[in-house]
Amino acid sequence: MLKPGSTIGILGGGQLGRMLALAAAELGYRCHIFAPEADTPASEVAAVTTRADYGDAAALKAFAAAVDVVTLEWENVDREAVRQLAAHVPVHPGAHSLEVAQDRMAEKQFVEWLGGRTATWAQVDNREALDAAIAKVGLPAILKTRRFGYDGKGQARLMTAADADAAWEAIGGQPAILEGFVNFAHEFSVILCRGQDGSIVDWPVPVNLHKGGILATSTLPPPALVRAQAAEAVQLARTVAEKLGHVGVLTCEFFACKDGPRFNEMAPRVHNSGHWTIEGSATSQFENHVRAVVGLPLRPTTLMSARIEMTNLIGDDVADWPRLMADPTAHVHLYGKAEARPGRKMGHVTRLGK
């Protein structure tokens, strides 16, 4: 167990790192950000920032010497960087969680091995394999890169076989999977946190609404169908965390279908669909993640309101800040990003109660 005053290293400097650093500060811990970008949102609230590429071995070694433990705010960090750091300092979550979550094919194979159900899918390593995948999976379908895809990036929709060339070009001809459409009623997520001692807490599941591949809202309580399927989804997510030996927050996204929940994808980190936990839960996802990383006991996840809604501020939505700041029902979180661009998450707003 690391005592307050210790330094937590965070790989990545975005808004998730920012909220982790804020939660850590409340518990008395310092944060050191490692990120290749300049002027990151997390750097504004952290004690120290190292700006370097994830492949910079010398910078990684110096970073490891300056911190007491390392965590991450996103999963697309070079696994080799994590391995280098782990040789000098504890890293939570570890390389195994990243190896599975970074590769959509490995992720689906892992979940299916555990007994979970996914969309029908096929491996696509080249243009010729895409034709075979179409024959196996059927259309319509979505072509997704195996690595480095999030918020709708690295994806192309195929409605007919004539779309194959354009879809393959759209993802840059990278190794991919073809995923059949899922007939679902709702999307929802399971957010849990696993401690170093193996203890697990999970939060009540929100129903999620996406627009253009980007999360728009997360709302509780979810519809009846989601409530009926939540226990099965939570159990699968807990099994995933245990088999990975995961430490920290793990998020698994699901489709609510007529025949039960279908696993969509996982993120080995704090998640956008859990931002409501800052005001809506007795303990936020960020605080429990920090607690897991430093070895503290995890705290309860009791709801603080019967109804909760989190809305993302995307692009120019942030221009409405004067009205939002004046709204007594709105808990406004702005991420400190200077430029609002289409599809860019600029902040979020959480409302409790009716």
Side-chain angles (χ1 to χ4, degrees):
M1 184 183 299
L2 295 178
K3 64 181 181 180
S6 301
T7 299
I8 302 170
I10 301 177
L11 299 178
Q15 63 265 18
L16 299 178
R18 180 188 183 98
M19 288 181 272
L20 281 171
L22 289 170
E26 290 186 347
L27 295 175
Y29 295 91
R30 302 172 77 251
C31 285
H32 184 155
I33 305 300
F34 188 106
E37 302 86 5
D39 302 322
T40 66
S43 297
E44 293 182 351
V45 300
V48 185
T49 296
T50 293
R51 185 186 178 191
D53 187 82
Y54 294 121
D56 187 331
L60 287 170
K61 186 175 181 179
F63 175 66
V67 303
D68 298 293
V69 67
V70 173
T71 189
L72 50 92
E73 66 127 27
W74 71 319
E75 61 270 36
N76 288 328
V77 174
D78 187 344
R79 285 174 291 179
E80 184 55 37
V82 172
R83 292 191 184 96
Q84 289 183 39
L85 289 170
H88 303 283
V89 66
V91 181
H92 304 301
H96 192 193
S97 292
L98 290 183
E99 287 167 358
V100 173
Q102 284 183 350
D103 186 328
R104 283 192 169 102
M105 188 172 82
E107 183 180 70
K108 289 186 182 297
Q109 290 174 330
F110 182 72
V111 169
E112 289 174 346
W113 174 66
L114 293 176
R117 292 175 296 173
T118 70
T120 303
W121 63 278
Q123 181 177 351
V124 179
D125 290 334
N126 52 51
R127 175 62 186 84
E128 292 71 27
L130 177 54
D131 292 330
I134 291 172
K136 175 184 176 181
V137 173
L139 295 174
I142 302 177
L143 185 64
K144 299 181 177 181
T145 56
R146 285 177 57 176
R147 293 172 57 81
F148 304 117
Y150 62 96
D151 283 349
K153 298 178 177 67
Q155 301 185 18
R157 183 171 296 193
L158 288 83
M159 302 305 294
T160 71
D163 298 328
D165 286 335
W168 183 246
E169 183 176 346
I171 67 163
Q174 301 178 64
I177 62 169
L178 185 70
E179 188 177 284
F181 273 25
V182 175
N183 185 17
F184 64 92
H186 306 285
E187 295 177 83
F188 67 97
S189 51
V190 172
I191 306 159
L192 60 78
C193 187
R194 184 173 182 270
Q196 294 182 35
D197 62 355
S199 62
I200 296 178
V201 297
D202 57 76
W203 283 264
V205 303
V207 64
N208 301 322
L209 176 65
H210 291 79
K211 295 181 180 179
I214 301 174
L215 181 67
T217 63
S218 292
T219 307
L220 293 102
L225 181 64
V226 174
R227 293 199 301 272
Q229 297 183 8
E232 181 180 345
V234 168
Q235 184 55 55
L236 176 61
R238 281 174 166 256
T239 302
V240 168
E242 289 167 350
K243 293 297 184 182
L244 290 174
H246 187 85
V247 171
V249 169
L250 174 74
T251 305
C252 294
E253 296 182 83
F254 290 86
F255 298 118
C257 305
K258 289 183 178 180
D259 59 350
R262 285 188 180 267
F263 173 89
N264 180 24
E265 60 187 17
M266 75 175 75
R269 54 167 170 81
V270 291
H271 196 262
N272 194 175
S273 66
H275 289 356
W276 60 268
T277 63
I278 297 173
E279 291 85 19
S281 173
T283 312
S284 76
Q285 63 168 343
F286 301 101
E287 179 178 338
N288 265 339
H289 184 84
V290 170
R291 284 175 166 271
V293 166
V294 301
L296 291 173
L298 304 181
R299 293 191 70 242
T301 58
T302 312
L303 291 182
M304 305 304 288
S305 177
R307 178 170 173 80
I308 304 168
E309 181 174 275
M310 187 282 300
T311 302
N312 272 331
L313 300 176
I314 300 171
D316 290 337
D317 291 347
V318 74
D320 199 28
W321 68 264
R323 182 187 67 82
L324 293 170
M325 293 289 197
D327 182 350
T329 70
H331 298 274
V332 182
H333 298 260
L334 301 183
Y335 304 150
K337 298 179 180 179
E339 182 185 0
R341 298 193 298 265
R344 192 181 197 195
K345 296 172 182 174
M346 302 298 294
H348 73 268
V349 179
T350 301
R351 290 181 170 86
L352 308 183
K354 295 183 179 180

